[in-house]
Amino acid sequence: MKELLDKIISDGTVLEEDILKVDSFLTHQIDPELMSLIGKNFADKYRDKKITKIVTIESSGIAPAVFIGLELGVPVIFARKQKSLTMNKELLTASVHSFTKKVTSEISISTKFLTSQDHVLVVDDFLANGQAALGLIELCHQAGATVEAINIVIEKSFQNGRSLLEDKGYKVDSLARIKSLKNNEVHFIE
Ligand code: G4P
């Protein structure tokens, strides 16, 4: 998606050799116009499929997920990393290890929001090692829901997330695919 690639080039910053800082439009401050375009772009690919739910993880997956849900007219569920006070029973849960942040979180969704009738788009802001996506897929499986595709805003293609998901038979759809962040520059896969 050209507008996203342009934004990454103009406003993104490379930190170390493998981390891209995009907090001015995606992971902290949010650019609603860009999110709206992202929502339309993804939704256009799935309008003819019978998607019933969007599933993401807090926090930075929520913005793009909401715009996709708005376009497709379906609810958006975000997995929580900490259980809320009102969320004490009937949970789907999975363990997600972040190699980037070196923490493991127990993620959860209430069973009342996902059922075996659901056809789901899994959405996240970044795809690195694929662990968050795998955790979300696990929650969908526990509910008996069907995962139609994994939609990613920014994929770091030099990490193994895509191949891990594709090897398990999932369709991965990313709007920006980064080949490398070497020499403080962003190089995209064309
Ligand atoms: P994985 O799910 O693909 O295995 O990714 P990984 O564990 O490596 O990444 C975990 C967290 O780090 C995710 O945020 C992800 O969005 C973020 N992340 C990974 N690579 C980058 C990067 O290059 N730049 C930025 N800005 N973030 C990156 P999270 O733990 O889910 O939390 P949140 O930040 O969404 O709240």
Side-chain angles (χ1 to χ4, degrees):
M1 186 183 125
K2 186 177 182 311
E3 295 87 348
L4 175 62
L5 304 195
D6 290 347
K7 191 75 167 174
I8 291 171
I9 295 295
S10 63
D11 294 18
T13 316
V14 178
L15 300 182
E16 303 154 37
E17 280 226 323
D18 60 352
I19 302 289
L20 178 68
K21 189 173 161 86
V22 287
D23 61 352
S24 65
F25 60 94
L26 181 60
T27 61
H28 194 10
Q29 175 172 264
I30 290 165
D31 179 336
E33 283 183 14
L34 184 66
M35 289 307 128
S36 173
L37 284 178
I38 286 171
K40 288 192 175 74
N41 201 298
F42 275 131
D44 283 347
K45 299 174 186 176
Y46 295 96
R47 287 190 204 280
D48 59 337
K49 302 257 191 295
K50 281 202 292 188
I51 302 299
T52 60
K53 298 275 165 66
I54 310 297
V55 169
T56 187
I57 183 168
E58 63 176 342
S59 54
S60 308
I62 297 175
V66 166
F67 280 89
I68 302 170
L70 184 66
E71 286 294 323
L72 293 178
V74 300
V76 177
I77 308 161
F78 65 90
R80 289 182 180 269
K81 291 177 184 163
Q82 287 194 329
K83 294 189 176 83
S84 84
L85 276 179
T86 58
M87 217 178 149
N88 48 6
K89 55 178 182 177
E90 292 168 359
L91 293 179
L92 311 164
T93 60
S95 201
V96 172
H97 179 71
S98 166
F99 292 101
T100 306
K101 296 188 173 172
K102 299 181 179 58
V103 289
T104 300
S105 340
E106 182 89 347
I107 65 167
S108 50
I109 287 178
S110 169
T111 50
K112 71 181 172 200
F113 297 128
L114 261 187
T115 74
S116 57
Q117 308 300 306
D118 279 318
H119 290 256
V120 173
L121 284 182
V122 168
V123 173
D124 209 356
D125 57 336
F126 271 92
L127 177 63
N129 297 295
Q131 298 303 302
L134 282 179
L136 294 173
I137 289 167
E138 166 65 22
L139 299 184
C140 293
H141 283 177
Q142 287 176 20
T146 306
V147 175
E148 296 289 348
I150 321 296
N151 289 356
I152 299 294
V153 179
I154 303 177
E155 171 187 328
K156 295 193 293 182
S157 306
F158 53 87
Q159 294 181 274
N160 69 352
R162 173 179 281 268
S163 56
L164 199 68
L165 295 168
E166 286 183 340
D167 287 352
K168 291 180 185 292
Y170 296 102
K171 175 174 154 54
V172 179
D173 200 353
S174 312
L175 296 184
R177 299 186 67 193
I178 296 177
K179 187 163 57 179
S180 102
L181 294 172
K182 292 210 169 98
N183 305 319
N184 287 328
E185 284 175 9
V186 183
H187 300 278
F188 295 108
I189 292 179
E190 299 303 321

